């Protein structure tokens, strides 16, 4: 029955009670369809939220743990995890009863990486930098209030940098993050300087907003950013921006190493090498 028919337009009139009942029936039908649409959209959002949570759990998590973190009923969480597992977005480990991100997510991530040139185009440049430094080279982009590692080449040393592709890190405690903030668009930079959470990750992390603003101004003046055990004790890194044609950083490139292998002065001596690589990346990568 259409709304037009229910309201009596173009039909013989009935009693007021009958007309009112028909109108209410039509309204109820429309509202039900709307609610179902909203419900489906809401469930998609919840499923995506579970994937994000699993991305923060490299060792996986149980359905109960995910339910608590997502603040969802266990039955809803379990049902969504079942659907995601069936479609390959999530893997289930029966022995430990834990869920992990599945290969389908990896495939999608690789597609995004290839689309932006981070795999095929950037990788040879990162490898060349690592060959010359003997240390890890990292390429990151900004993802909201975090930096996202999109590519990394480890050095030949046994001590590895743990910021693997897909890792979300803090902007204020990392060299790549500081470079992305310092050379963001003016409006974005100011918003980040005023609102970015400054949670400490080590005793050396910058948590004072005025000090952070001064640090970002220093990065802008010197053209590179330094992380000296602010993100992880025992680790040091230096990063330069990768500029688009408007002079805004759409990525940042860093060398990272343990403090016992490279001094701050040795790190700063790598800036020209990183800047030359950043210019090459800027010319080759699709700019966002």
């Amino acid at each position: 029955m259409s709304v037009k028919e229910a309201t009596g337009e173009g039909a013989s009139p009935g009693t007021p009670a009958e007309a009112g009942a028909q109108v209410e029936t039509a309204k109820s039908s429309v509202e039900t369809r709307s609610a179902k649409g909203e419900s489906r959209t809401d469930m998609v959002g919840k499923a995506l939220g579970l994937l994000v949570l699993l991305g923060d759990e490299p060792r996986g998590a149980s359905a109960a743990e995910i339910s608590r973190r997502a603040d969802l009923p266990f039955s809803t969480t379990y049902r969504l995890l079942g659907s995601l597992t069936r479609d390959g977005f999530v893997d289930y480990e029966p022995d430990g009863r834990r869920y992990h991100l599945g290969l389908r997510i990896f495939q999608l991530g690789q597609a995004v990486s290839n689309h932006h040139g981070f795999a095929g185009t950037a990788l040879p440049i990162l490898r060349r930098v690592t060959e010359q430094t003997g240390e890890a080279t990292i390429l990151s982009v900004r993802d909201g209030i975090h930096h996202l590692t999109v590519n990394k080449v480890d050095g030949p040393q046994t001590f590895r940098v743990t910021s693997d592709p897909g890792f979300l890190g803090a902007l204020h405690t990392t060299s790549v993050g500081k470079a992305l903030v310092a050379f963001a668009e003016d409006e974005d930079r100011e918003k980040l300087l005023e609102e970015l959470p400054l949670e400490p990750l080590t005793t050396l992390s910058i948590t004072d907003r005025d000090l952070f603003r001064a640090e970002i101004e220093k990065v802008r003046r010197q053209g590179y950013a330094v992380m000296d055990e602010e993100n992880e004790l025992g680790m040091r890194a230096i990063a330069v921006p990768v500029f688009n044609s408007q002079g805004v950083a759409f990525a940042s490139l860093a060398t990272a190493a343990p403090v016992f292998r490279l001094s701050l002065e040795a790190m700063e001596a790598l800036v020209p090498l990183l800047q030359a690589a950043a210019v090459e990346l800027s010319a080759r990568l699709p700019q966002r």
Side-chain angles (χ1 to χ4, degrees), residues 20 38 63 66 102 124 133 138 177 199-201 262 264 280 283:
E38 291 174 1
I66 298 169
T133 64
I138 301 167
E199 300 296 331
L201 294 183
L262 281 184
L264 189 56
E280 192 172 355

Side-chain angles (χ1 to χ4, degrees), residues 129 222-224 239-243 253 270-282:
V129 173
Q222 63 191 16
Y224 63 88
V240 300
V242 180
F243 292 117
L253 182 68
L270 299 176
V271 169
L273 172 64
L274 288 171
Q275 288 176 330
V279 169
E280 192 172 355
L281 287 168
S282 178

Side-chain angles (χ1 to χ4, degrees), residues 53 159 162 178 217 221 236 259 278:
L53 289 177
F159 193 96
T162 56
K178 292 177 188 177
E217 287 303 318
R221 288 196 306 272
R236 184 175 283 143
V259 296

Side-chain angles (χ1 to χ4, degrees), residues 77-254:
T77 303
Y78 188 78
R79 186 170 66 254
L80 289 173
L81 288 172
S83 297
L84 292 168
T85 300
R86 182 194 62 219
D87 294 335
F89 293 101
V90 169
D91 286 337
Y92 178 62
E93 176 192 333
D95 291 343
R97 296 184 178 180
R98 303 182 76 78
Y99 293 86
H100 306 261
L101 289 181
L103 284 176
R104 184 66 178 140
I105 295 294
F106 175 77
Q107 292 167 349
L108 292 174
Q110 289 297 102
V112 173
S113 180
N114 288 328
H115 173 71
H116 288 286
F118 294 128
T121 303
L123 195 56
I125 299 173
L126 270 63
R127 284 176 177 158
R128 190 168 67 244
V129 173
T130 290
E131 287 172 2
Q132 296 181 61
T133 64
E135 302 293 349
T137 307
I138 301 167
L139 182 66
S140 288
V141 298
R142 185 163 71 88
D143 184 2
I145 61 171
H146 298 92
H147 77 81
L148 171 67
T149 301
V150 293
N151 218 328
K152 183 190 73 164
V153 174
D154 280 312
Q157 312 284 356
T158 55
F159 193 96
R160 292 181 68 253
V161 174
T162 56
S163 181
D164 290 320
F167 174 79
L168 279 175
L171 290 174
H172 69 295
T173 61
T174 58
S175 61
V176 287
K178 292 177 188 177
L180 290 167
V181 173
F183 297 99
E185 293 185 3
D186 292 345
E187 184 177 345
D188 287 343
R189 181 174 65 255
E190 191 58 36
K191 184 177 178 64
L192 289 167
L193 287 171
E194 291 181 359
E195 301 177 7
L196 186 68
L198 302 179
E199 300 296 331
L201 294 183
T202 75
T203 55
L204 299 174
S205 301
I206 297 176
T207 57
D208 180 87
R209 199 156 297 280
D210 290 337
L211 289 178
F212 182 58
R213 183 178 288 274
E215 176 76 358
I216 294 303
E217 287 303 318
K218 179 181 178 182
V219 172
R220 286 180 61 79
R221 288 196 306 272
Q222 63 191 16
Y224 63 88
V226 171
M227 183 280 293
D228 197 7
E229 299 191 85
E230 300 153 59
N231 190 68
E232 183 180 352
L233 291 176
M235 292 300 300
R236 184 175 283 143
I238 193 162
V240 300
V242 180
F243 292 117
N244 62 19
S245 57
Q246 287 76 45
V248 173
F250 69 94
S252 59
L253 182 68

